[in-house]
Structures are given as C-alpha cells and as structure tokens.
Amino acid sequence: MWAKSGKASPVASISASVYTSHIPAIGAALDLGKTAEPYWQPVFSGYQRSKEWMAKHVPDAIVLVYNDHATAFSLDLVPTFAIGTGERFMPADEGWGARPVPEVLGHPELAAHIAHSVIQDDFDLTIVNRMDVDHGLTVPLSLMFGQPSAWPCRVIPFAVNVVLYPVPSGRRCWNLGRAIRKAIALYDEPLKVQVWGTGGMSHQLQGPRAGLINREFDQSFLDRLIADPEGLAQMPHVDYVREAGSEGIELVMWLIARGAMSDRAPTVVHRFYHVPASNTAVGHLILENNE
Ligand code: DHB
Ligand code: FE
C-alpha cells in the first residue's frame, strides 16, 4: 500500500487480525498426534478453514500479542507490555520440555520501529532482546500454521502482563492497538502485517470457581469485538473476572489486535467457538481489514 500524502512511498499495512485461545493442552494434543481423538477432533476441525485461509494469506510479519505465563518473566520482573526486538526466540521449556516446534524468527527492524513510535506515543514498552516464548505464543502459531519445519513468516512477540495484578485495562489495550496501527502505517517498507490477539476465552484455573465457563459472555464478547470494539474496551477488568473467570482477563489482549484494525467494519472470515478444551472455552476469529 502507498502512503496517502506526501511523496508516494511504500509503507507497511495491516491486512488482518486473528484471535484465538492458546490452551497448552492443544499444543500437547498436536505434538503427541492426538488431533483425531474424539475429544480433540471438534477443536481442530474448527481451525481447518483458518489454515486454508492462512495458506493464501501468509503475511510478512505477525505482531503476536500474548501473555507469558511466568516462563520468560518470573515474579522478579513483570513488565506490563514487552516487545521482542531480537532476531530469534526459542520455544520455552515449561516444565515438560520445550515443544517440538520451530524457533521463532523475529523482525528486529519493524519491532524497533514499533517500539520507537509507540513509546513516543506515551506507552511504556519493555524492550526484550532475548527471551523464550511459551504456549501463549506457540500454540496460536500451531493452530494457524499446523506443523511446518519452519514458521512461514517473521513473528514479533508482544507480551502483556495478565498474570500479576495490576493488569492493564481493556481501554489501555485498545489505545495501544491504535498506537501500533499508527506505527505500522509509518514503516517505510511495503510489508503485509497481521496482528494477533491470543488467550481466553472464559476460564478460571484455581480457587473455588475453578472450571468456570460462561458461554453467554464469550459469545457476546465475540459479537462486540466485531461490531462495537470501542464500547467493549470500556468494560472494567472486574467484569472480566466476575463473568469470565480469573484467567478470562486474558481477553484484554484481543483488544490490542482489534485496536490495530481500521475504523471501517472488518470482514469476518471465520468465527469459531467450542467448549470444552482442557479447562477453557475455545474462541477464534479471523477479521480482514477494510481500509
Ligand atoms: C489452561 C489455559 C490457559 O490459557 C493457560 O494459559 C494455562 C492452562 C488450561 O485450560 O488448562
Ligand atoms: Fe493462558
């Protein structure tokens, strides 16, 4: 795409956004060859169309918004927002060995540009040149690309703290998405970029409400993410926790990806919802950008 004003010069653009749960057991099911088992078959069949679409729409780079689960960041140091500016990121050992998936190649130039632009727009990003990436990032890649010997594009890990309180509000995530959109539109190379939001949907992994799933909340979240994202971004964090469980707060990350989309209504390429997978509801959307 070409810049609208000034000298005609090629710039980067956001072609689509992808939203998906990142359940670690999905990664294990894939890695252990269990995708055809009756429990998992309905989950993976929901991503069949996604893989077909993705095969035709591989971007140059993905800004992959996810949360680290005390893997790269321990309680010693918890950044609210962190951008991976390194050349490569290895799949993490989360206690049962690293997943047998390819290393993740970053895009240091685009990542550094986004960091510069977004920080100058008043968002505090932590710059991460070296870290391992956990299921929050690798499971979405597996769901969308299957099991290739190398990931087909560059991936910029963008980690959000939704593990240790205080967590960022949906409104701040939405505004951060807007700032990422602006940064990408100022990058002077005609890259096709996707922004992914991962985590969710409703789930709670601990305490008396462990196992909580709220289908009504999840479906309404998907409806509003498509049609009223700015209104949805006003929802306070306590509503996520009450309605979608303590880990349902991961859904604020979807607002970063949605905030990066244009103001025009997106094209809904695919929508999928399934319960259960492990302890959570699986939610998934692909939205194409209409500039
Ligand atoms: C589960 C889901 C998650 O999102 C996660 O990060 C860890 C575990 C689960 O369903 O078990
Ligand atoms: Fe998670």
Side-chain angles (χ1 to χ4, degrees), residues 21-25 67 69 135-136 199-201 203 205 247 250 277-281:
S21 306
H22 63 210
I23 305 159
N67 66 294
H69 299 75
H135 67 270
M201 298 201 83
H203 63 304
L205 300 177
E247 276 66 49
E250 289 181 341
S278 187
N279 303 294
T280 108

Side-chain angles (χ1 to χ4, degrees), residues 8 17 85-86 92 100 108 125 132 146 169 188 218 234 253 271 284-285:
S17 53
T85 43
L125 302 190
D132 292 344
S169 66
D188 56 4
D218 289 339
Q234 306 311 313
M253 296 186 288
R271 174 174 174 159
H284 174 42
L285 276 178

Side-chain angles (χ1 to χ4, degrees), residues 30-31 51 54-55 58 62 91 99-105 137-155 196:
L30 261 162
D31 301 342
K51 286 195 283 184
M54 184 54 92
V58 177
I62 298 167
R99 291 192 59 215
V101 292
E103 66 178 348
V104 172
L105 296 182
L137 183 135
T138 62
V139 167
L141 287 177
S142 297
L143 281 168
M144 296 303 293
F145 293 121
Q147 296 172 291
S149 56
W151 300 122
C153 65
R154 304 301 179 114
V155 177
W196 293 14

Side-chain angles (χ1 to χ4, degrees), residues 70 73-78 163-164:
F73 307 124
S74 73
L75 289 180
D76 288 347
L77 190 158
V78 182
V163 170
L164 179 72

